[in-house]
Amino acid sequence: MKVKTILVSQPEPKMENSPYSRLIDKERVKVDFRPFIHVEGVDAKEVRLQKIDLKNYTAIILTSRNAVDHYFRIAEEMRFKVPDTMKYFCQSEAVAYYLQKYVVYRKRKIYVGKMNFADLAALFKKYKDEKFLLPSSDVLKSIVPETLNKIGIDWTRGIFYRTVISDLSDLRNVYYDVLVFFSPSGIESLLKNFPDFDQKDTRIAVFGNSTVKAATSAGLRIDIQAPTPETPSMTMALQKYINAANKK
């Protein structure tokens, strides 16, 4: 079965020359973007009910740009002036760079991991005397608490935002050759929106082990998977599959 149409369950990339743009031009396929999940902020009252007082923390653990946005949103709602002495531990350079939206970038106060959360372990050990706050979604990867508890630092998780399933009812009678997923929440959204979903000839593309597990548990057939040594990105995996399928 040839591939002509692809639905990516994420927002459209803002960059002009994205890998998807190159895929569209090279393979002459139609690629649409639609977030299957979205984030909604928790209000300050609900954060207080979690017994979180922002002034009690000397360091913030930031795993995503959403965490950055919602920490500073809650700080503003609580009329808490974030002190210049605050330390920020960012999971990746992308998160650290985004932090500049809110603070003056000083390397001595911003500590950056390579990519995976476990890469921050050495930094946490170095600053074990800090009181850490982890602003997070209601969905949290198990590696995060496992890493923090193993090190034995003083940390508190605060749910500052929630991952919410988007309404996809307008897609009920729209069909795509390939559906692309990047998280278990995306798979959950598909099944919640379309409980009678029958895969048939629809190809399912998944990124990451947790998404593979969610798709398999849901009884879906996985046709395209990333990352792999050959295809470290989703666009590379899609291109490889399209080349093989469309040649037939």
Side-chain angles (χ1 to χ4, degrees), residues 62-200:
L62 299 166
T63 58
S64 69
R65 287 181 291 184
N66 279 326
V68 175
D69 282 334
H70 289 282
Y71 170 73
F72 285 96
R73 175 185 62 79
I74 289 293
E76 186 175 354
E77 286 183 20
M78 289 185 168
R79 297 179 183 176
F80 171 71
K81 188 179 185 303
V82 181
D84 293 338
T85 54
M86 184 67 74
K87 294 181 175 68
Y88 303 93
F89 292 77
C90 303
Q91 181 166 324
S92 66
E93 286 187 2
V95 175
Y97 182 78
Y98 188 74
L99 188 57
Q100 294 181 86
K101 179 179 177 181
Y102 298 96
V103 301
V104 177
Y105 198 98
R106 294 190 181 98
K107 287 185 179 179
R108 66 184 177 85
K109 294 174 184 174
I110 299 175
Y111 308 93
V112 186
K114 294 178 181 178
M115 181 57 69
N116 299 317
F117 188 81
D119 296 334
L120 286 169
L123 289 169
F124 292 138
K125 289 176 182 176
K126 188 176 179 181
Y127 294 93
K128 286 187 74 170
D129 294 333
E130 304 293 338
K131 291 196 70 173
F132 292 87
L133 174 65
L134 173 74
S136 79
S137 164
D138 55 326
V139 179
L140 185 65
K141 291 182 179 178
S142 59
I143 186 66
V144 176
E146 287 171 3
T147 300
L148 298 175
N149 290 335
K150 186 176 181 180
I151 296 168
I153 61 173
D154 183 352
W155 72 283
T156 302
R157 176 189 179 188
I159 296 176
F160 282 33
Y161 56 100
R162 288 194 171 87
T163 302
V164 181
I165 290 172
S166 303
D167 180 6
L168 307 174
S169 55
D170 58 306
L171 295 178
R172 175 160 292 281
N173 296 314
V174 181
Y175 298 93
Y176 289 88
D177 297 321
V178 180
L179 301 179
V180 183
F181 297 94
F182 291 87
S183 71
S185 299
I187 301 292
E188 182 186 1
S189 177
L190 172 71
L191 300 178
K192 284 278 180 72
N193 275 281
F194 311 109
D196 55 348
F197 176 74
D198 186 356
Q199 185 172 352
K200 294 182 181 177

Side-chain angles (χ1 to χ4, degrees), residues 181-182 206-213 225-227 234:
F181 297 94
F182 291 87
V206 296
F207 189 93
N209 292 333
S210 61
T211 315
V212 169
K213 185 177 178 180
Q225 187 175 336
M234 177 53 76

